[in-house]
């Protein structure tokens, strides 16, 4: 049956927000209402008649509300097929009312978990009756319209008004898909909470941000996840797929420096092409830009401090895709908004996923995020020459950038400024030579600079090349069977070398 007039509805929701207009419309169209508990009281308080589910089943709500609707007279009313004669005969025989509309939501399991409630409180928010009602109504979409999310109330109300309470098969099927999404997401959230072994992968998110296209114009793309919980766009064009990859890299990098002195980073193709820490944010920006003013064109900019007018004035002359900061001073915001397409984002204090998931072959690769940050206290001096305090600060600075740069990588730093990096090279020697060439092309003096490597040196060639360029301190994880060869070269040429013991590959 394609078109079907709604004559009866079962309504049982935890959250009553937005429900009243729907009740009023259903009553105006003569629909018989059935309900339970708090929703039944809500409808009566609106001044309307409603039939308690207990009047159908002959049983009250029992076990502290755990069992309300789990009864054949309820599920028979939902699952009966209007075109099957035996189904209709059984409804008559057992005095089961047929139900055309089900409006049900679920206990807020995820919110309860997020509130750090006790285990028993969390268990009590595992919905049983609601999830069963949703699945039953969605399964029988040929006859029943299922609404499982208050965000769909507006669409339901429009349907009731424009179609005078009549639903089409395509309407019911569309809402059924939404209902199955609700039920599957709910079950996934429950499973992931209790699956402490993490030996199975289940991912579900209801938030979808459409993108103009994917990595290239011929590819479709979308972002799935609660993006607005982390970033608020206050100006500019729609964010692209490639923007999001750069933004992700920028956010992860700046969080390494979030509690420190004013820091500014410029990223291009997921790598930092400029970074500096200074006493003032505008100076941090100027020195970050000096690291590679060519690559900065069209880049993503991020700061760990509110952007003031002085900094905004310096930024404004640069063509950049995105600017991210915890906040923008009003005058700075007005200035940066003069470029209509420039994306301005507020970075919020939100938790990031603990796992990294990416497609690989015919499956997925899953790993813990690299949350290890190298610190001065954990460094091991491997050479006769020690690094002074200023060098150690530069080495940790370089190590943090190195961790967030594509492998193989070498990062060169001096006075808390990124001079250059070699990124994504197949050879560590190539990465170093790329970094040296780049630094020298922008007239940086490498004498007294430090070098960071994301992985160990299999041979002493890198420290030799670095030493010849003027670098006098090196930080690396160590772990090569030929570590001693690099250490010996450093000892012979008065270069300090410190081991972190932690590799930071990024592919």
């Amino acid at each position: 049956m394609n078109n079907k007039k709604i004559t009866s509805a079962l309504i049982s929701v935890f959250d009553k927000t937005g429900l009243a207009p729907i009740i009023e419309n259903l009553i105006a169209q003569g629909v018989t209402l059935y309900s339970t508990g708090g929703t039944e009281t809500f409808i009566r308080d609106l001044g309307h008649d409603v039939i308690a589910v207990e009047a159908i089943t002959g049983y009250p709500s029992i076990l502290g509300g755990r069992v309300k609707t789990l009864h054949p007279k309820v599920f028979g009313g939902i699952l009966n097929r209007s075109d099957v004669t035996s189904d209709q005969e059984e409804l008559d025989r057992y005095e089961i009312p047929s139900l055309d509309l089900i409006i049900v939501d679920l206990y807020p399991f995820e919110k309860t978990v997020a509130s750090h409630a006790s285990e028993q409180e969390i268990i009590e928010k595992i919905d049983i009756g609601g999830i069963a009602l949703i699945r039953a109504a969605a399964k029988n979409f040929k006859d029943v319209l299922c609404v499982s999310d208050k965000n769909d109330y507006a669409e339901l109300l429009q349907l009731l008004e424009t179609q005078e309470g009549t639903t089409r098969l395509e309407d019911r099927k569309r809402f059924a898909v939404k209902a199955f999404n609700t039920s599957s997401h709910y079950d996934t959230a429950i499973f992931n909470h209790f699956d402490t072994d993490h030996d199975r992968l289940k991912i579900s998110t209801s938030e979808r941000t459409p993108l103009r296209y994917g990595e290239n114009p011929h590819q479709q793309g979308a972002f799935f996840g609660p993006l607005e919980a982390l970033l608020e766009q206050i100006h500019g064009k729609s964010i692209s797929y490639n923007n999001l990859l750069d933004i992700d890299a920028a956010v992860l990098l700046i969080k390494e420096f979030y509690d420190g002195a004013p820091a500014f980073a410029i990223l291009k193709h997921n790598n930092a092409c400029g970074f500096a820490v200074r006493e003032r944010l505008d100076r941090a920006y100027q020195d970050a830009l000096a690291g590679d003013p060519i690559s900065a064109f069209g880049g993503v900019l991020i700061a760990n401090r509110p952007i003031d007018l002085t900094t905004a004035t310096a930024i404004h002359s640069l063509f950049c895709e995105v600017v991210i900061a915890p906040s923008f001073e009003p005058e700075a915001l007005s200035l940066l908004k003069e470029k209509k397409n420039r994306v301005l984002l507020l970075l919020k204090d939100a938790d990031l996923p603990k796992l990294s998931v990416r497609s690989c072959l015919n499956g997925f690769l899953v790993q813990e995020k690299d949350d290890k940050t190298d610190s001065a206290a954990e460094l091991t001096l491997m050479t006769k020459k020690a690094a002074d305090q200023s060098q150690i600060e530069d080495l940790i600075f370089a190590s943090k950038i190195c961790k967030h740069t594509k492998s193989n990588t070498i990062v060169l730093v001096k006075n808390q400024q990124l001079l250059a990096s070699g990124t994504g090279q197949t050879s560590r020697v190539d990465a170093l030579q790329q970094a040296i060439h780049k630094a020298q092309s922008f007239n940086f003096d490498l004498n007294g600079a430090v070098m960071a490597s994301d992985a160990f040196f299999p041979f002493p060639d890198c420290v030799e090349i670095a030493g010849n360029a003027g670098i006098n301190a090196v930080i690396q994880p160590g772990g090569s069977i030929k570590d001693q060869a690099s250490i010996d070269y450093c000892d012979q040429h008065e270069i300090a070398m410190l081991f972190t013991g932690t590799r930071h590959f990024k592919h």
Side-chain angles (χ1 to χ4, degrees):
M1 185 174 186
N2 190 4
N3 295 340
K4 188 168 184 180
K5 180 76 173 177
I6 296 174
T7 61
S8 60
L10 170 61
I11 306 173
S12 179
V13 296
F14 183 86
D15 185 347
K16 317 296 189 296
T17 306
L19 185 62
I22 293 173
I23 300 296
E24 300 292 352
N25 185 284
L26 292 173
I27 290 295
Q29 298 199 43
V31 176
T32 301
L33 301 185
Y34 300 87
S35 192
T36 64
T39 309
E40 178 190 345
T41 302
F42 177 82
I43 295 171
R44 293 192 190 281
D45 288 345
L46 290 174
H48 303 302
D49 292 334
V50 57
I51 299 172
V53 167
E54 292 93 327
I56 304 173
T57 64
Y59 282 89
S61 173
I62 62 173
L63 305 181
R66 282 190 165 198
V67 180
K68 300 176 184 176
T69 57
L70 296 170
H71 194 281
K73 283 199 171 183
V74 175
F75 283 85
I78 297 171
L79 288 166
N80 73 91
R81 294 157 291 188
S82 61
D83 59 349
V84 176
T85 302
S86 60
D87 282 9
Q88 299 308 305
E89 290 174 348
E90 288 181 341
L91 290 188
D92 292 338
R93 184 184 312 144
Y94 298 111
E95 298 180 338
I96 299 173
S98 183
L99 297 168
D100 308 312
L101 171 64
I102 306 298
I103 303 177
V104 177
D105 66 3
L106 301 171
Y107 290 153
F109 178 83
E110 290 178 282
K111 288 184 179 179
T112 305
V113 171
S115 71
H116 305 291
S118 68
E119 183 175 36
Q120 189 56 43
E121 289 175 306
I122 291 171
I123 289 172
E124 290 305 320
K125 287 299 184 288
I126 299 176
D127 208 308
I128 304 300
I131 202 80
L133 290 169
I134 288 171
R135 289 179 64 84
K139 174 179 179 177
N140 199 27
F141 66 84
K142 287 185 177 180
D143 289 294
V144 181
L145 179 69
C146 180
V147 181
S148 58
D149 189 333
K150 66 181 181 181
N151 293 321
D152 293 326
Y153 285 179
E155 184 179 353
L156 171 63
L157 190 59
Q158 182 182 27
L159 185 152
L160 293 172
E161 292 173 345
T162 59
Q163 297 176 196
E164 298 180 344
T166 297
T167 66
R168 302 168 300 176
L169 179 60
E170 54 263 40
D171 299 324
R172 299 191 294 275
K173 190 170 185 179
R174 184 176 68 255
F175 274 87
V177 171
K178 294 181 179 185
F180 285 127
N181 176 60
T182 297
S183 64
S184 65
H185 177 79
Y186 195 76
D187 285 338
T188 297
I190 295 170
F191 169 79
N192 284 334
H193 173 71
F194 289 102
D195 179 36
T196 56
D197 294 333
H198 301 297
D199 57 357
R200 287 149 290 192
L201 177 65
K202 293 185 186 296
I203 299 174
S204 176
T205 179
S206 298
E207 299 89 351
R208 179 182 183 273
T209 302
L211 304 174
R212 297 193 304 275
Y213 50 81
E215 198 164 8
N216 298 293
H218 63 277
Q219 297 170 269
Q220 294 184 358
F223 177 86
F224 290 90
L227 187 60
E228 291 183 357
L230 180 65
L231 295 162
E232 179 184 348
Q233 183 170 354
I234 55 177
H235 182 70
K237 64 182 180 181
S238 299
I239 300 174
S240 72
Y241 181 100
N242 292 329
N243 286 158
L244 284 169
L245 290 176
D246 282 332
I247 291 167
D248 175 66
V251 168
L252 293 176
L253 174 58
I254 205 68
K255 281 188 174 291
E256 301 276 2
F257 299 85
Y258 223 60
D259 297 325
F264 210 107
I266 304 172
L267 287 89
K268 194 74 170 288
H269 296 296
N270 313 155
N271 296 305
C273 59
F275 200 115
V277 170
R278 293 291 182 261
E279 293 182 359
R280 286 178 17 197
L281 190 64
D282 61 306
R283 291 179 179 173
Y285 167 72
Q286 294 287 9
D287 286 345
L289 179 64
D292 187 347
I294 296 175
S295 294
F297 183 86
V300 169
L301 282 57
I302 190 166
N304 69 344
R305 291 286 189 278
I307 291 182
D308 54 32
L309 180 59
T310 303
T311 307
T313 301
I315 292 171
H316 192 54
S317 61
L318 174 73
F319 169 73
C320 56
E321 291 273 342
V322 181
V323 183
I324 312 166
S327 63
F328 296 81
E329 293 183 0
E331 291 180 336
L333 183 60
S334 295
L335 177 63
L336 293 175
K337 281 185 172 181
E338 289 181 6
K339 300 289 180 68
K340 66 177 183 178
N341 289 329
R342 179 186 284 149
V343 175
L344 303 179
L345 299 173
L346 295 178
L347 179 59
K348 303 177 185 179
D349 184 18
D351 292 333
L352 294 171
K354 297 298 183 183
L355 295 178
S356 170
V357 181
R358 64 195 296 182
S359 61
C360 181
L361 299 175
N362 60 342
F364 301 91
L365 282 172
V366 181
Q367 66 173 347
E368 295 177 340
K369 284 283 186 72
D370 184 1
D371 289 332
K372 170 70 173 173
T373 298
D374 298 326
S375 67
E378 298 172 315
L379 299 180
T380 301
L381 178 64
M382 304 303 297
T383 52
K384 297 174 183 177
K385 181 178 175 61
D388 61 30
Q389 184 59 37
S390 176
Q391 288 175 317
I392 290 175
E393 290 175 0
D394 276 352
L395 289 169
I396 294 299
F397 178 90
S399 176
K400 290 178 179 180
I401 297 174
C402 198
K403 169 184 168 182
H404 294 277
T405 306
K406 295 290 185 181
S407 300
N408 286 314
T409 184
I410 293 289
V411 171
L412 305 181
V413 164
K414 187 176 181 180
N415 299 328
Q416 300 287 283
Q417 179 185 20
L418 173 62
L419 304 185
S421 57
T423 63
Q425 299 301 303
T426 54
S427 158
R428 198 156 301 281
V429 170
D430 287 346
L432 173 57
Q433 289 176 333
Q434 181 190 55
I436 291 172
H437 171 75
K438 192 172 184 180
Q440 291 173 342
S441 69
F442 291 114
N443 299 316
F444 284 114
D445 180 7
L446 290 176
N447 287 299
V450 306
M451 174 175 73
S453 174
D454 59 338
F456 63 65
F457 298 113
F459 305 102
D461 46 6
C462 281
V463 290
E464 180 179 354
I465 295 169
N468 290 336
I471 291 160
N472 59 14
V474 177
I475 187 171
Q476 60 135 324
S480 169
I481 59 174
K482 296 183 178 180
D483 275 343
Q484 194 60 46
S486 294
I487 295 169
D488 290 343
Y489 182 88
C490 289
D491 280 338
Q492 294 164 11
H493 295 83
E494 296 189 335
I495 299 172
M497 177 176 283
L498 295 95
F499 280 10
T500 66
T502 305
R503 189 181 74 184
H504 290 295
F505 269 163
K506 184 184 180 186
H507 293 101

